[in-house]
Structures are given as C-alpha cells and as structure tokens.
Amino acid sequence: MGLPFSPIAISSKLIVLLFLMLSCTSFLTTEAYDALDPNGNITIKWDIMSWTPDGYVAVVTIYNFQQYRHIQAPGWMLGWKWSKKEVIWNMVGGQTTEQGDCSRFKGNIPHCCKRDPTVVDLLPGTPYNQQIANCCKGGVINSWVQDPTTASASFQLSVGSAGTTNKTVRVPRNFTLKAPGPGYTCGHAKIVRPSKFMTADKRRVTQALSKSQKKTRNSAFSTYYKFSKSKVIYP
C-alpha cells in the first residue's frame, strides 16, 4: 500500500506480492473524472521503510493531484483487507477506527487486529510524539495545483505477522478510499522506484526499501469507492 504522484499508468502480468523486491516501489492510483480536470487523480503511496522481527514499518502517503477539488472535512478514510493474518502494532500520524479482536495476544496488545482496517487522520493539536510530516490535519487535503505544500497526507504503521522477506510479505487487497464528494475508482498497483527522503538537517538522503502506488479517479456515476486488484509491475 504510494506516496506520490503524478503517477502512472499500469499494465502487467504478475499478480500479488506487492512488496516483492527490496529496491522496488509500488503505487496505487485512484482517478476521478472531472470535466474541468479530466486527468486529476489521488495517488496513494506505500513505502516500506524497514523490516522488524515479525514484519515491517511503512509510511503511507496520499497525494491529491486534482487541480480544483480539495478533500474537505470530515476528511479521507483509507481501508484495505490484509492478505494473511497481519496486525498493526502501532501507528503514528493516523489511527484505525476500530481495534478489532486482539484476544489471541497476551501482554503487548496491537493497535489493530482487524482483517479489514480503516485508517483516518489525526486532528490538529495531536502531541508531537504521535505525529509525522504531513499528518494531523483532520483528513483535509488541498489540491496540488492550488497549494502543493498541503496537498498530501501521511501516516506510519508497524505491521506484524506479515513476513520478513520479499517472498513472505503479501500485498493488502480490496483498498477503499472514502472522502466527501463523488466516489473513486482505482487502477492497478505498480512497482516503482523507491521514494527518497531528506533528513531534518537536509544533509542526508535515505531511501525506502519498497514502494507501491495506486491512482484513483473520481467517478461521476458512482457514490462508492472501488479499487481494482493489485498487480506487480516490473519497469
């Protein structure tokens, strides 16, 4: 599950295994038809930043590449279904709407055990130790053309029971994106080059291990959010 976008057409043969290669990235793009902005889209980027003993840490970024349409309050809601029995151990910059049944865990309890979690943004004023860059705006995202500095939103999650190699990690599926206004339909995921990140002192650049991207486009005839099955695409 990209961050960002002006991304990107999609076509390939291999299905499943979104995070397959350490030096690859994959994107999710949802496209929304607008007569005044026919190429506008919202792109979701899922960057795997590091591996953990039972999974990985990822940063998910939502980019609003629509020219005129903002995502307004009450904001975006991003959902998906895990392919295995993954859990979310903790989150920064976002939270799931439900914890789910975590009774199989003793002692350290995950943030969310649902097979189909839904994530929302945190509110302004969230304590700094619960924030990451571009979070905590109550789900509001401005359009890229009108204000690119506020046209994205991000959250970080630590995923467990997910496998710790490219061969054991599986792509989440059945993504949904909900926001005020027309519905969204989604294109296929695509493996792209890993995102690069500048450190706070701007003296060092780090790189994601893997990334997926998907583009969504508004649907003028639908009020629900539909994402197609993810695919792995090799450049």
Side-chain angles (χ1 to χ4, degrees):
M1 347 336 127
L3 60 254
F5 312 2
S6 177
I8 292 175
I10 295 160
S11 62
S12 183
K13 302 177 181 178
L14 300 181
I15 300 177
V16 202
L17 290 191
L18 189 60
F19 310 115
L20 281 190
M21 300 178 23
L22 277 178
S23 53
C24 289
T25 300
S26 131
F27 288 82
L28 214 87
T29 304
T30 73
E31 301 189 349
Y33 181 75
D34 184 331
L36 299 178
D37 183 21
N39 297 314
N41 69 78
I42 294 175
T43 301
I44 301 162
K45 182 181 66 173
W46 187 299
D47 285 304
I48 294 181
M49 307 303 297
S50 62
W51 299 108
T52 62
D54 71 336
Y56 59 87
V57 174
V59 172
V60 180
T61 305
I62 302 171
Y63 293 86
N64 183 8
F65 286 117
Q66 300 174 106
Q67 293 191 57
Y68 311 109
R69 182 175 290 131
H70 304 292
I71 297 179
Q72 301 177 340
W76 55 265
M77 299 177 68
L78 181 65
W80 62 85
K81 186 173 183 179
W82 294 117
S83 295
K84 300 194 294 184
K85 294 183 179 180
E86 294 92 337
V87 298
I88 300 174
W89 281 113
N90 55 66
M91 296 189 66
V92 180
Q95 64 182 7
T96 60
T97 56
E98 296 182 58
Q99 183 182 34
D101 182 4
C102 295
S103 59
R104 65 189 173 100
F105 293 90
K106 308 299 180 183
N108 191 16
I109 305 300
H111 174 82
C112 179
C113 299
K114 286 182 65 68
R115 288 290 307 279
D116 55 347
T118 296
V119 173
V120 295
D121 197 7
L122 299 181
L123 298 175
T126 295
Y128 288 114
N129 63 354
Q130 298 176 30
Q131 296 187 28
I132 64 169
N134 295 324
C135 83
C136 311
K137 296 176 284 188
V140 174
I141 309 178
N142 289 321
S143 70
W144 190 267
V145 170
Q146 295 179 343
D147 188 358
T149 64
T150 58
S152 64
S154 299
F155 60 88
Q156 177 180 291
L157 69 169
S158 177
V159 182
S161 302
T164 57
T165 70
N166 293 327
K167 292 183 178 181
T168 56
V169 172
R170 295 294 182 270
V171 56
R173 49 198 172 88
N174 299 340
F175 276 86
T176 60
L177 175 66
K178 296 182 180 180
Y184 290 87
T185 56
C186 190
H188 302 300
K190 181 178 181 180
I191 298 290
V192 298
R193 294 179 180 177
S195 296
K196 294 184 178 181
F197 302 87
M198 182 71 70
T199 57
D201 61 8
K202 301 188 182 302
R203 300 179 65 185
R204 174 177 165 80
V205 175
T206 59
Q207 181 170 299
L209 300 179
S210 176
K211 180 173 68 178
S212 70
Q213 172 180 313
K214 213 164 182 47
K215 179 190 286 185
T216 66
R217 185 181 295 274
N218 272 328
S219 171
F221 306 102
S222 176
T223 58
Y224 64 92
Y225 302 82
K226 179 181 179 183
F227 286 67
S228 58
K229 180 178 288 187
S230 299
K231 292 184 179 180
V232 173
I233 294 178
Y234 297 94

